[in-house]
Amino acid sequence: MIRALVLSFAIAAAAYSPLSAAPMKVSATYEISLAGWGLARANLNFTMQDGKYEADLFMKPKGVARVVTAVRTSVSAAGRVRRGVVQPSRYAVRADEIDRPVAVDMKLNAGTVSSLRATPPLKKRPDRVSVTNAHRRNIVDPISSGLLPINSADGRDACDNTMKIFDGWTRYDVRWSYAGTERVQTKGYSGRAIVCNARWVPVAGHRRNKKEVQYLARNKRLKMWVIPLPAERVAIPYKVSIGTPNGTILIAPSSMQISGAGV
C-alpha cells in the first residue's frame, strides 16, 4: 500500500498548452528515502504539446535497499488535458520481481477504463471492498494524478483538488488542501513552491481491517510541494513527504530541468 502511494506521489507533471505551442519538457531525478536512509532513485521524463502528454518513470533500489530487493519498476502513461480536465488514455507498469511479477496494462477513454490486465490479481478476502465498474469511471492513473491544473497567478489553487485514482487494483482518492508557500532549490531549478496537505481516502479494492489501510486513512502527515507555472496553467510536483510508523518517506529531486514552460 505504501509502495502504491509512493508511485502515485512520485511522478508526473503537465500543463494546459495552446495549439502549436512548443513542447513542455520535464527531466528530473528523484531520491526516495526513509528516515534519512536512501531507498530508491527514480528518473522521470515528461513531454506535453498541444494538450497531449506522455510520461515515463524508471525506479530502482539504492543503498541498503539493494540488500533486500533488486526490483526495478518502470511506469508510463499518456493522455490529454482538455478544458482543465485530465483524461488519461493509457497506463502501464512493469516490475521485475522474480517470484511475483507485477504488470499493469490499462487503456482508458475520457477517464473511463476500457481494457485492463493487472498481475497478480487481488486475492479474495472477506474484508476486501469489491471494485465495480463504477470505480473505473472518471478516474486518473497514478502518473496522471500528478497533473494539477491551476487558474490563479500564484498557483495556490493547485491544492484545491481531489484526485480520483485507480491503479489497476485499487481505487482511492487523494484530497489536497493549501498549506503555504516555500522557496525551493535543487540542481537545475530554484523558485517558489506551493505546499499542499494531502489525505488518502480508500474507496475500493482495499481490505477494511488491514492495519496499513487504517493507518494511511488516518495519516495527516502527507504533503506535496508543487511548482506553479501560470503560463502553462499547471503546477507540477516537486517534493513529497509521507509520514510512516518507521519514519518519514521523502521523495525529493536531486536535479530538475523544465523547458518550454516559460520558466
Side-chain angles (χ1 to χ4, degrees), residues 22-216:
M24 185 186 80
K25 296 183 179 181
V26 178
S27 178
T29 298
Y30 289 93
E31 306 296 335
I32 303 171
S33 62
L34 172 61
W37 292 89
L39 296 181
R41 175 172 292 142
N43 294 311
L44 169 72
N45 287 294
F46 173 86
T47 303
M48 184 173 187
Q49 186 173 25
D50 297 339
K52 297 180 180 179
Y53 65 88
E54 293 187 358
D56 293 283
L57 178 82
F58 178 72
M59 184 168 62
K60 63 181 181 180
K62 59 175 285 189
V64 295
R66 289 181 295 184
V67 177
V68 295
T69 181
V71 176
R72 296 166 181 255
T73 303
S74 59
V75 190
S76 64
R80 66 186 299 178
V81 179
R82 185 177 184 182
R83 297 175 183 174
V85 178
V86 181
Q87 298 179 337
S89 59
R90 64 171 174 82
Y91 173 71
V93 178
R94 293 291 184 274
D96 61 357
E97 298 186 53
I98 297 174
D99 297 328
R100 193 187 184 198
V102 173
V104 176
D105 290 288
M106 182 165 63
K107 292 184 179 179
L108 307 97
N109 181 12
T112 295
V113 176
S114 57
S115 68
L116 172 66
R117 286 176 32 177
T119 304
L122 284 177
K123 294 181 180 180
K124 293 183 178 181
R125 294 288 188 270
D127 63 338
R128 190 180 300 283
V129 179
S130 298
V131 178
T132 68
N133 287 334
H135 296 130
R136 300 186 179 99
R137 300 190 188 109
N138 300 316
I139 56 90
V140 293
D141 59 81
I143 283 189
S144 300
S145 70
L147 316 185
L148 300 174
I150 61 175
N151 291 309
S152 65
D154 60 10
R156 62 184 292 171
D157 59 326
C159 301
D160 297 333
N161 279 292
T162 295
M163 294 298 174
K164 300 178 179 180
I165 304 168
F166 180 66
D167 60 13
W169 295 280
T170 60
R171 166 73 175 78
Y172 53 94
D173 290 350
V174 176
R175 297 175 181 171
W176 305 106
S177 61
Y178 178 75
T181 302
E182 290 184 12
R183 190 81 181 175
V184 297
Q185 183 172 354
T186 190
K187 181 181 178 181
Y189 177 81
S190 64
R192 183 175 57 89
I194 305 298
V195 186
C196 303
N197 288 326
R199 295 300 301 269
W200 181 82
V201 182
V203 175
H206 62 284
R207 296 175 60 187
R208 292 190 185 94
N209 300 329
K210 199 168 184 179
K211 291 182 179 179
E212 292 91 336
V213 172
Q214 295 174 358
Y215 175 83
L216 282 173

Side-chain angles (χ1 to χ4, degrees), residues 246-262:
N246 299 315
T248 299
I249 294 175
L250 185 64
I251 305 166
S254 55
S255 67
M256 174 179 280
Q257 289 79 39
I258 306 172
S259 63

Side-chain angles (χ1 to χ4, degrees), residues 225-246:
W225 287 249
V226 299
I227 301 170
L229 303 174
E232 301 292 342
R233 299 185 186 180
V234 69
I236 63 174
Y238 178 80
K239 182 173 68 173
V240 173
S241 175
I242 306 172
T244 79
N246 299 315

